[in-house]
Amino acid sequence: MSTAVKRYFEHAITAETKLATAVRLKMHGEIKLKGWYNFQAEQVICAHQGMVWQATVWMNGLPIFGWDRLIAGNGAMQWKLLGLLPVVKSKGPDVTRSAVGRMQGEYVWLPSALLSSSVRWQASDDTHACAELTLLEETTRLNLTLSSSGGVQAAYFQRWGDPEESTPHYENFGVLVEEEKAFGGYTIPTRIRAGWYFDNAAQAGKPGPRFVEKGEFFRATIDRAIYR
């Protein structure tokens, strides 16, 4: 194991901590639709199996309830105004492929999943490491930019999606980490900014103009993490 990878795990998982196979997160933040809107959400991630993100978004004072999920090998999303009127409902191969990439990128919240023997690690230097993961025939190369202590400063990968609302394709997607905290023996990113067009400037921890102007659509703070 390279120095960078070893430093990451020593920082992320306290010695003698039981290795978890799942995490339940509670979070709040802002999501960009037509504008920025507040949300509250809970998420469950099960290593190498699936995830569910269930949220309430307030738009112009009205709640929109919904979820994004990857269950039994199928991705789907559904959102309803007031819990009754359909706003978004989508499923199919493109949604599944995007959901797989998302879940594998979010293993920064479940570091024990990255210790699996099926994960292939490489490191270019002491502050950059890459984990190669495959699920449902979808391979994600999760690149981490690390601090000198091993904390995650940025995470980025090629994710399947359609940010231009034209034709689905692989596009740079990433997360900037602004804060971290410890929960139950795990130290994880707890205040993040995420979105498309994650360029070289963003990888270095400084948001690039395309990410800020067109790509960023998610800002979240983790309030609680429970590991199982």
XYZ file of all heavy atoms in Angstrom, residues 61-106:
345
model
N -41.474 27.945 -1.026
C -42.280 27.668 0.157
C -43.035 26.359 0.132
O -43.683 25.992 1.120
N -42.986 25.637 -0.990
C -43.708 24.368 -1.116
C -42.729 23.195 -1.070
O -41.667 23.241 -1.696
C -44.499 24.332 -2.426
C -45.590 25.393 -2.593
C -46.194 25.297 -3.988
C -46.670 25.234 -1.530
N -43.085 22.117 -0.360
C -42.174 20.975 -0.263
C -42.289 20.028 -1.452
O -43.382 19.711 -1.924
C -42.639 20.281 1.025
C -44.108 20.592 1.093
C -44.273 21.963 0.506
N -41.148 19.586 -1.930
C -41.079 18.526 -2.934
C -40.402 17.333 -2.268
O -39.278 17.439 -1.777
C -40.284 18.964 -4.171
C -40.974 20.155 -4.841
C -40.148 17.821 -5.167
C -40.199 20.730 -6.018
N -41.109 16.214 -2.214
C -40.592 15.005 -1.587
C -40.116 14.038 -2.669
O -40.754 13.912 -3.716
C -41.688 14.307 -0.761
C -42.280 15.168 0.317
C -43.470 15.845 0.103
C -41.652 15.298 1.541
C -44.037 16.638 1.082
C -42.205 16.093 2.541
C -43.397 16.756 2.312
N -39.015 13.345 -2.387
C -38.584 12.380 -3.384
C -37.361 11.608 -2.985
O -36.858 11.709 -1.858
N -36.873 10.804 -3.938
C -35.707 9.978 -3.679
C -34.948 9.682 -4.966
O -35.499 9.697 -6.060
C -36.103 8.656 -3.002
C -37.323 7.963 -3.572
C -38.575 7.952 -3.038
C -37.412 7.197 -4.787
N -39.436 7.223 -3.826
C -38.752 6.736 -4.896
C -36.499 6.827 -5.773
C -39.186 5.940 -5.968
C -36.927 6.047 -6.843
C -38.259 5.618 -6.920
N -33.650 9.443 -4.788
C -32.790 8.849 -5.811
C -32.304 7.541 -5.210
O -31.950 7.495 -4.022
C -31.582 9.732 -6.122
C -31.971 11.053 -6.763
O -33.162 11.229 -7.088
O -31.088 11.907 -6.910
N -32.231 6.480 -6.005
C -31.824 5.220 -5.403
C -31.169 4.293 -6.412
O -31.330 4.446 -7.627
C -33.031 4.516 -4.779
C -34.033 3.965 -5.788
C -35.266 3.418 -5.100
N -36.155 2.718 -6.028
C -37.391 2.305 -5.737
N -37.873 2.517 -4.510
N -38.123 1.677 -6.633
N -30.437 3.333 -5.867
C -29.874 2.220 -6.629
C -30.153 0.968 -5.807
O -29.531 0.747 -4.761
C -28.369 2.401 -6.832
C -27.644 1.258 -7.548
C -28.099 1.154 -8.998
C -26.131 1.446 -7.481
N -31.130 0.192 -6.232
C -31.562 -0.996 -5.492
C -31.670 -2.173 -6.457
O -32.239 -2.036 -7.547
C -32.919 -0.756 -4.795
C -32.782 0.333 -3.721
C -33.445 -2.039 -4.168
C -34.088 0.666 -3.026
N -31.124 -3.319 -6.038
C -31.195 -4.551 -6.832
C -30.705 -4.333 -8.261
O -31.268 -4.862 -9.222
C -32.619 -5.096 -6.835
N -29.668 -3.512 -8.390
C -29.057 -3.303 -9.697
C -29.772 -2.332 -10.604
O -29.411 -2.203 -11.778
N -30.765 -1.605 -10.081
C -31.531 -0.663 -10.902
C -31.564 0.721 -10.261
O -31.884 0.855 -9.078
C -32.966 -1.166 -11.088
C -33.027 -2.444 -11.892
O -32.635 -2.479 -13.051
N -33.496 -3.523 -11.268
N -31.234 1.725 -11.053
C -31.298 3.101 -10.592
C -32.632 3.723 -10.947
O -33.224 3.405 -11.979
N -33.108 4.626 -10.089
C -34.376 5.311 -10.353
C -34.436 6.565 -9.506
O -33.730 6.706 -8.501
C -35.563 4.394 -10.029
N -35.300 7.500 -9.927
C -35.568 8.698 -9.136
C -37.032 9.066 -9.285
O -37.650 8.812 -10.331
C -34.670 9.859 -9.561
C -34.866 10.339 -10.977
S -33.809 11.762 -11.381
C -32.187 11.005 -11.351
N -37.571 9.662 -8.220
C -38.970 10.084 -8.241
C -39.148 11.267 -7.296
O -38.719 11.215 -6.144
C -39.886 8.937 -7.805
C -41.371 9.308 -7.765
C -42.240 8.112 -7.467
O -42.429 7.240 -8.296
N -42.767 8.054 -6.243
N -39.796 12.343 -7.779
C -40.017 13.547 -6.982
C -41.438 14.038 -7.210
O -41.918 14.083 -8.345
C -39.007 14.630 -7.367
C -37.611 14.191 -7.051
C -36.760 13.481 -7.840
C -36.943 14.380 -5.810
N -35.596 13.216 -7.175
C -35.669 13.761 -5.931
C -37.280 15.020 -4.618
C -34.744 13.759 -4.902
C -36.359 15.027 -3.583
C -35.107 14.399 -3.727
N -42.119 14.410 -6.092
C -43.505 14.857 -6.169
C -43.709 16.126 -5.340
O -43.274 16.200 -4.191
C -44.446 13.763 -5.655
C -44.483 12.512 -6.513
C -45.474 11.497 -5.953
C -45.546 10.256 -6.826
N -46.533 9.274 -6.296
N -44.384 17.093 -5.932
C -44.760 18.308 -5.222
C -45.834 17.982 -4.198
O -46.832 17.312 -4.521
C -45.279 19.348 -6.215
C -45.728 20.695 -5.637
C -44.559 21.430 -4.998
C -46.376 21.552 -6.727
N -45.611 18.397 -2.955
C -46.529 18.117 -1.846
C -46.702 16.612 -1.620
O -47.643 16.175 -0.956
C -47.902 18.768 -2.071
C -47.905 20.289 -2.265
C -49.294 20.778 -2.635
C -47.413 20.987 -1.015
N -45.812 15.821 -2.221
C -45.914 14.375 -2.092
C -46.991 13.767 -2.962
O -47.255 12.562 -2.887
N -47.638 14.594 -3.824
C -48.781 14.131 -4.616
C -48.589 14.318 -6.120
O -48.878 13.420 -6.906
C -50.047 14.874 -4.171
C -50.476 14.695 -2.708
C -51.596 15.663 -2.384
C -50.913 13.257 -2.469
N -48.140 15.505 -6.530
C -48.062 15.850 -7.948
C -46.684 15.514 -8.510
O -45.677 16.056 -8.046
C -48.354 17.346 -8.141
C -49.687 17.843 -7.557
C -49.803 19.344 -7.719
C -50.853 17.130 -8.235
N -46.606 14.609 -9.502
C -45.305 14.201 -10.046
C -44.540 15.383 -10.635
O -45.091 16.203 -11.370
C -45.680 13.202 -11.138
C -47.047 12.715 -10.761
C -47.732 13.891 -10.125
N -43.261 15.473 -10.293
C -42.359 16.479 -10.838
C -41.305 15.801 -11.730
O -41.070 16.217 -12.852
C -41.664 17.273 -9.712
C -40.650 18.253 -10.288
C -42.686 18.009 -8.855
N -40.675 14.754 -11.195
C -39.679 13.986 -11.943
C -39.878 12.513 -11.630
O -40.073 12.133 -10.477
C -38.244 14.397 -11.566
C -37.233 13.492 -12.274
C -37.975 15.841 -11.925
N -39.831 11.685 -12.666
C -39.831 10.240 -12.488
C -38.996 9.653 -13.606
O -39.294 9.865 -14.778
C -41.248 9.665 -12.524
C -41.305 8.176 -12.194
C -42.747 7.680 -12.110
C -42.805 6.213 -11.715
N -44.211 5.718 -11.627
N -37.926 8.948 -13.231
C -37.013 8.467 -14.262
C -36.345 7.173 -13.816
O -36.067 6.973 -12.632
C -35.944 9.529 -14.550
O -35.111 9.130 -15.606
N -36.098 6.296 -14.782
C -35.368 5.062 -14.540
C -34.798 4.593 -15.871
O -35.010 5.228 -16.904
C -36.277 3.994 -13.930
C -37.465 3.593 -14.788
C -38.305 2.534 -14.077
C -39.493 2.121 -14.955
N -40.314 1.064 -14.291
N -34.069 3.481 -15.841
C -33.495 2.956 -17.072
C -31.989 2.862 -17.001
O -31.366 3.249 -16.004
N -31.343 2.363 -18.064
C -29.898 2.121 -18.056
C -29.061 3.363 -17.787
O -28.049 3.282 -17.085
C -29.629 1.572 -19.467
C -30.931 1.002 -19.915
C -31.983 1.878 -19.299
N -29.445 4.522 -18.342
C -28.661 5.735 -18.122
C -28.728 6.176 -16.663
O -27.721 6.604 -16.087
C -29.154 6.866 -19.033
C -28.798 6.633 -20.497
O -27.726 6.056 -20.759
O -29.610 7.010 -21.362
N -29.904 6.082 -16.068
C -30.064 6.455 -14.661
C -29.271 5.495 -13.781
O -28.604 5.909 -12.814
C -31.555 6.454 -14.257
C -31.713 6.742 -12.767
C -32.314 7.494 -15.076
N -29.315 4.214 -14.099
C -28.567 3.220 -13.327
C -27.071 3.468 -13.411
O -26.364 3.464 -12.390
C -28.890 1.800 -13.827
O -30.276 1.530 -13.623
C -28.061 0.765 -13.092
N -26.572 3.724 -14.615
C -25.132 3.958 -14.793
C -24.677 5.187 -14.003
O -23.623 5.161 -13.357
C -24.824 4.140 -16.277
C -23.342 4.305 -16.584
C -23.096 4.450 -18.075
N -23.342 3.203 -18.776
C -23.115 3.032 -20.073
N -22.652 4.055 -20.809
N -23.337 1.875 -20.651
N -25.466 6.232 -14.027
C -25.124 7.436 -13.273
C -25.172 7.189 -11.768
O -24.324 7.671 -11.015
C -26.086 8.575 -13.645
O -25.734 9.772 -12.985
N -26.163 6.419 -11.328
C -26.310 6.125 -9.907
C -25.161 5.294 -9.372
O -24.704 5.483 -8.240
C -27.632 5.411 -9.648
N -24.666 4.359 -10.178
C -23.517 3.548 -9.765
C -22.303 4.436 -9.534
O -21.604 4.324 -8.518
C -23.206 2.454 -10.803
C -21.878 1.778 -10.478
C -24.320 1.423 -10.846
N -22.036 5.340 -10.483
C -20.915 6.255 -10.325
C -21.069 7.124 -9.097
O -20.117 7.320 -8.325
N -22.279 7.631 -8.881
C -22.525 8.463 -7.713
C -22.223 7.696 -6.432
O -21.538 8.197 -5.545
C -23.976 8.934 -7.700
C -24.371 9.585 -6.380
C -25.828 9.951 -6.306
N -26.180 10.373 -4.957
C -27.325 10.961 -4.632
N -28.230 11.201 -5.561
N -27.570 11.308 -3.377
N -22.761 6.471 -6.314
C -22.579 5.716 -5.079
C -21.104 5.422 -4.823
O -20.620 5.556 -3.692
C -23.360 4.409 -5.126
C -23.333 3.670 -3.791
S -24.122 2.046 -3.844
C -22.818 1.074 -4.608
N -20.381 5.033 -5.869
C -18.971 4.715 -5.676
C -18.167 5.964 -5.332
O -17.206 5.895 -4.553
C -18.430 4.003 -6.920
C -19.122 2.655 -7.128
C -18.473 1.769 -8.172
O -18.209 0.622 -7.932
N -18.230 2.328 -9.353
N -18.568 7.116 -5.851
C -17.924 8.366 -5.460
C -18.205 8.727 -4.013
O -17.366 9.324 -3.327
N -19.386 8.335 -3.533
C -19.780 8.668 -2.163
C -19.225 7.696 -1.128
O -19.536 7.805 0.057
C -21.304 8.753 -2.083
C -21.829 9.975 -2.829
C -23.348 10.079 -2.850
O -24.020 9.088 -2.488
O -23.837 11.155 -3.229
